[in-house]
Amino acid sequence: ASGRLDGLLVSEDEIQADLRQLARLHIQRAEAAEREGRVAQEPRSRQRARILVRRNLSDAIEVDRFILGRAPPHPEETWRETAECLVRLAETVAAEPFLETDRARRLTSEAASAFLRAAETAETPGGALEEEALLHAGWSFFAAGQYERCGEVLRKYLDRFAASDRAGAAQNLLGRALWNLGELAEAARIYRDN
């Protein structure tokens, strides 16, 4: 597929590449603002940097969502990038002095869902991207307080990646989720087996 832009023929691949570059530019700007905020001496400068981080991460997320809406050929990387931006945005929002914890939890939950999509669309089932995305999804659901979803995802992770060197961490987090759900006997069994 292609389209016309000011008399030029532009392919879908070129559009996708330009959009990916735009999303990465927003991420780079967010990283630069984070660095500025860490060294800023004045509260106004730190606040300005936080605003720039939030704005650029939000813009990167919107570009990624637009890309995903166009059904890219390999969506797993875009899903993972979207999820990582959502996590960073949630961390930035949670650090705000005006107690935006509900918004931070919603963003973290949205990140968990995006990590799941990255795992589901991984080009290589059972590969490193799927493993990483499932583990991040479980952690994000836990951080968002969605312990049942966390348990579902971590059980799936442990079924698929039981031999991984990170399986112990996943099992520990699963135990914590079960504990928070009040399933103390099952949590104790998980801890004991770890």
Side-chain angles (χ1 to χ4, degrees):
S2 60
R4 288 210 168 273
L5 182 66
D6 291 333
L8 298 174
L9 188 61
V10 181
S11 73
E12 185 66 28
D13 290 342
E14 290 172 317
I15 293 169
Q16 293 280 336
D18 287 347
L19 289 169
R20 297 289 326 119
Q21 189 173 3
L22 178 61
R24 287 187 193 104
L25 177 63
H26 284 299
I27 292 167
Q28 289 170 354
R29 286 181 176 170
E31 290 167 350
E34 284 173 340
R35 286 190 299 274
E36 285 177 27
R38 282 193 294 270
V39 299
Q41 299 296 318
E42 297 177 12
R44 276 189 190 191
S45 297
R46 287 192 300 271
Q47 179 61 23
R48 181 181 172 276
R50 281 195 302 268
I51 290 168
L52 288 173
V53 168
R54 288 172 72 164
R55 184 177 301 143
N56 280 291
L57 288 174
S58 295
D59 288 347
I61 291 164
E62 288 307 310
V63 171
D64 281 345
R65 286 178 176 154
F66 182 78
I67 292 169
L68 290 165
R70 296 177 71 93
H74 304 288
E76 64 276 5
E77 287 297 326
T78 305
W79 278 115
R80 185 176 71 172
E81 181 179 276
T82 302
E84 289 169 355
C85 286
L86 284 162
V87 167
R88 288 173 63 193
L89 183 58
E91 290 167 352
T92 303
V93 167
E96 287 295 318
F98 298 108
L99 300 175
E100 293 197 55
T101 53
D102 288 341
R103 181 165 181 238
R105 280 188 178 209
R106 281 192 309 274
L107 290 166
T108 304
S109 178
E110 195 176 334
S113 296
F115 278 124
L116 273 181
R117 290 297 306 250
E120 292 167 359
T121 58
E123 196 169 296
T124 309
L129 187 126
E130 180 185 12
E131 178 184 358
E132 179 184 341
L134 279 174
L135 192 57
H136 283 295
W139 176 252
S140 296
F141 279 127
F142 184 87
Q146 295 183 6
Y147 305 120
E148 288 180 23
R149 292 282 293 159
C150 172
E152 292 169 15
V153 170
L154 291 174
R155 282 189 171 98
K156 181 176 181 178
Y157 174 88
L158 291 167
D159 286 346
R160 295 188 55 76
F161 302 101
S164 170
D165 58 348
R166 297 190 284 183
Q171 199 165 354
N172 184 35
L173 186 59
L174 175 58
R176 290 174 62 194
L178 291 168
W179 184 271
N180 287 339
L181 288 169
E183 298 178 25
L184 306 183
E186 181 66 10
R189 186 190 66 74
I190 294 288
Y191 285 132
R192 191 175 45 250
D193 293 346
N194 192 2

